[in-house]
Amino acid sequence: YASAQRINYADLIPVLNKKLHEQFGIPDLINDCMSAQLFVKDSVWNKLTADQQRETMEITKKVVSAHPGVKTIWTPEELKARAFHPHQIESFYQNQLYPGRTGKLIVQPLPYCVIDSHNLGTGHRTPYEADTHVPLILYQKNTLKPCTITQNVWTLQLAPTLAQLLEIPRPSACVMEILPGITK
């Protein structure tokens, strides 16, 4: 695809840290990026005032957003406050918020863009069709009819589906429905 891009965070982090050091005199604040989330050094972050924390995040957002492969970037608080439809792409990021483990900034790349530390290869870390379309074949003699599911479904629907097919109890924390069109 012509719009395919790679954002190598091993190159991005030094650029961000240089900008933050020049602007605020804060050395090496950003220390990692995983799953399109930017993480900070807590020892440095905790010494900043609330205003400094806000300002550093705004500058970081501005620098990262200027990259042509970035659609949007949020703080966890901004993302949590937004209302998304359950099948909206952004809900993928919202569902991954986990207090204490989420980065200080969450980056949503454009379709066919990858944010990682490798110069080659790919991953399945975005909510776009190219990363989430996973073929699944289920077979149970005399029980399942041949079908193709064309609507969006979640991998979490597999557990209750298998439980129903195997006639065993659903997982205790399962809140998902079974895959559509699976049973007669």
Side-chain angles (χ1 to χ4, degrees):
Y1 290 93
S3 61
Q5 298 186 41
R6 179 174 301 279
I7 302 170
N8 189 323
Y9 65 76
D11 298 332
L12 180 63
I13 290 173
V15 170
L16 292 171
N17 281 327
K18 182 179 180 196
K19 179 73 172 172
L20 294 172
H21 189 262
E22 288 172 355
Q23 189 119 7
F24 301 104
I26 302 168
D28 303 323
L29 177 62
I30 310 295
N31 70 338
D32 203 0
C33 180
M34 292 186 299
S35 300
Q37 297 182 29
L38 291 168
F39 292 85
V40 299
K41 285 185 184 173
D42 288 332
S43 60
V44 177
W45 180 258
N46 293 335
K47 291 178 184 175
L48 301 177
T49 66
D51 285 342
Q52 288 172 319
Q53 290 175 349
R54 183 183 42 74
E55 290 171 7
T56 57
M57 289 299 100
E58 289 305 315
I59 293 295
T60 304
K61 285 169 65 173
K62 184 181 275 188
V63 172
V64 174
S65 294
H67 194 285
V70 172
K71 180 177 181 187
T72 193
I73 184 168
W74 307 275
T75 65
E77 296 77 22
E78 291 168 339
L79 184 56
K80 186 177 180 180
R82 298 285 308 269
F84 299 113
H85 184 274
H87 290 289
Q88 201 171 343
I89 295 289
E90 289 79 2
S91 70
F92 171 88
Y93 294 96
Q94 199 173 47
N95 289 337
Q96 292 184 23
L97 291 175
Y98 190 90
R101 292 187 188 171
T102 301
K104 293 293 181 198
L105 291 171
I106 299 103
V107 182
Q108 180 184 359
L110 289 167
Y112 309 108
C113 294
V114 175
I115 301 174
D116 68 12
S117 64
H118 305 289
N119 291 323
L120 297 171
T122 188
H124 296 280
R125 296 187 180 260
T126 72
Y128 300 111
E129 178 77 16
D131 280 345
T132 61
H133 184 90
V134 179
L136 173 66
I137 298 172
L138 298 175
Y139 175 79
Q140 189 178 43
K141 189 175 182 176
N142 299 325
T143 302
L144 297 177
K145 62 180 181 172
C147 74
T148 301
I149 300 170
T150 57
Q151 69 193 66
N152 288 339
V153 295
W154 300 97
T155 55
L156 297 174
Q157 289 176 269
L158 182 57
T161 301
L162 291 176
Q164 180 164 326
L165 291 173
L166 298 172
E167 297 177 352
I168 60 174
R170 293 166 58 111
S172 61
C174 181
V175 296
M176 302 298 281
E177 297 296 321
I178 67 166
L179 293 167
I182 292 293
T183 59
K184 294 178 183 177

